[in-house]
Amino acid sequence: MTAFNAPELNPLASLEQWEDDLLVRYPEPEHKAKEEYRNYDNPERDTVREFYRLNHKYQTYDFVLDKKREFLAFDKKELPVWGAMEFLNTLVDDSDPDTDLDQLQHLLQTAEAIRADGHPDWFVLTGFLHDMGKVLCLFGEPQWAVVGDTFPVGCQHSDKIVYPEYFANNPDSQDERYNTKYGVYEPNCGLRNVHMSWGHDEYLYHITKDYLPEPALYMIRYHSFYSQHREEAYNHLMDEHDHEMFKWVRKFNPYDLYSKSPKPPVVSELKPYYEDLIAKYLPATVRL
């Protein structure tokens, strides 16, 4: 295992700093103007840049396989889903000027926006669950192995990925097994056969894959795959089924990014509805 020093573990002020940077890269005109987000007196993107330098250096094909072996054993904790959300709540971000909400409130706000638009209940549940994989940070994982734009490993890195120049420091970029267009994959093999960079998306997908409808699983697994669902950089690996399912990923994206609001949800009022919804789709406890 690679040893990391403290700055290499946590260059971001908070996990949400990555999502705030997405608002700058992918603003939506019908939502709050991008300059109104992350409004520090002296806004800095240096920490985001450092985050991606580390992410792009260390997210290798072998690293991903190692993390899957480590975390997909699901031997860390066993909790009810609501308990897992409360566990996640220890990641409360006091530095975020866009919201005073804790993690649970933010997830409820996302889910309530989806519910208000009349989407199916499994879509609402997906909004509620989508960040649960961030509990990886509570198991000592570095930020760049929890959040960040995701991308395939085991093949050439697209120049559509944010800060592509940092892949020069990734060993896979010099490895002839991994640095060609298709790498270890076949043309249009389907994303089910592709290893993605490790983080909260992939982790939560494996926690929920036996329980939720397939569109929900695509939303969970690929909502941070911006180089595809915004830039279409990996069409050569996707099959027709992937393209059909990515309609759901794109439908989810605005709720993921643009649901922040100063009005907090009333957790006590919403908890019975979400506990019933969890019970409809998921087991009584989940293993982390």
Side-chain angles (χ1 to χ4, degrees):
M1 298 295 289
T2 306
F4 304 109
N5 59 38
E8 289 187 323
L9 289 172
N10 300 310
L12 300 178
S14 70
L15 296 183
E16 281 61 47
Q17 192 171 357
W18 160 63
E19 291 184 346
D20 294 334
D21 186 66
L22 288 170
L23 296 169
V24 176
R25 281 189 276 141
Y26 300 113
E28 292 281 336
E30 65 269 26
H31 294 283
K32 188 168 67 170
K34 65 182 181 182
E35 62 269 15
E36 295 180 32
Y37 281 97
R38 210 67 192 173
N39 187 18
Y40 291 112
D41 290 335
N42 296 295
E44 289 285 348
R45 294 184 68 189
D46 287 350
T47 54
V48 174
R49 202 181 316 273
E50 175 64 6
F51 167 85
Y52 277 111
R53 185 188 71 80
L54 297 168
N55 176 277
H56 293 355
K57 177 180 179 179
Y58 292 121
Q59 288 271 5
T60 64
Y61 186 76
D62 287 342
F63 175 82
V64 169
L65 295 185
D66 284 345
K67 288 300 171 185
K68 286 185 172 182
R69 282 189 288 268
E70 179 181 359
F71 282 100
L72 302 188
F74 299 118
D75 56 2
K76 305 291 187 291
K77 267 185 178 293
E78 185 167 353
L79 294 168
V81 171
W82 197 272
M85 292 302 190
E86 292 176 335
F87 183 44
L88 180 65
N89 232 21
T90 62
L91 283 172
V92 170
D93 176 19
D94 293 329
S95 67
D96 189 346
D98 298 330
T99 181
D100 294 324
L101 305 184
D102 57 36
Q103 293 284 320
L104 178 57
Q105 288 175 312
H106 167 62
L107 291 172
L108 285 170
Q109 198 169 67
T110 302
E112 284 297 285
I114 294 169
R115 181 157 69 133
D117 283 349
H119 291 297
D121 62 359
W122 56 260
F123 194 161
V124 178
L125 181 60
T126 302
F128 178 66
L129 295 174
H130 77 277
D131 275 347
M132 194 174 83
K134 289 181 181 178
V135 297
L136 284 168
C137 266
L138 300 172
F139 300 135
E141 287 300 278
Q143 290 175 342
W144 51 261
V146 177
V147 297
D149 293 25
T150 59
F151 50 87
V153 296
C155 62
Q156 187 178 68
H157 304 110
S158 170
D159 63 4
K160 300 295 186 182
I161 303 170
V162 61
Y163 298 121
E165 64 272 18
Y166 290 138
F167 285 116
N169 296 321
N170 187 304
D172 290 358
S173 296
Q174 285 74 50
D175 192 319
E176 61 185 11
R177 294 172 297 172
Y178 308 131
N179 65 4
T180 62
K181 180 176 181 178
Y182 294 103
V184 301
Y185 309 114
E186 298 295 327
N188 302 112
C189 61
L191 292 179
R192 64 190 176 280
N193 296 309
V194 172
H195 291 285
M196 299 295 294
S197 54
W198 178 252
H200 75 286
D201 315 57
E202 186 71 11
Y203 181 52
L204 183 59
Y205 162 75
H206 285 279
I207 291 172
T208 58
K209 66 181 182 180
D210 294 331
Y211 308 111
L212 297 179
E214 188 178 24
L217 298 176
Y218 264 80
M219 293 177 194
I220 287 169
R221 196 176 199 181
Y222 300 115
H223 69 270
S224 303
F225 189 10
Y226 283 86
S227 58
Q228 179 54 40
H229 66 70
R230 290 297 185 103
E231 308 289 351
E232 298 191 347
Y234 287 94
N235 285 336
H236 57 285
L237 295 180
M238 294 174 67
D239 61 18
E240 287 305 311
H241 187 66
D242 291 328
H243 285 291
E244 187 65 26
M245 288 293 105
F246 261 59
K247 294 176 184 177
W248 288 103
V249 179
R250 294 184 179 98
K251 191 184 295 283
F252 175 76
N253 185 246
Y255 295 108
D256 184 22
L257 288 184
Y258 306 110
S259 61
K260 284 183 179 180
S261 165
K263 182 181 178 181
V266 181
V267 175
S268 60
E269 292 179 2
L270 295 174
K271 184 176 180 179
Y273 169 79
Y274 283 95
E275 286 193 315
D276 287 346
L277 194 54
I278 290 164
K280 179 177 177 179
Y281 287 97
L282 298 172
T285 60
V286 291
R287 294 172 62 192
L288 304 176

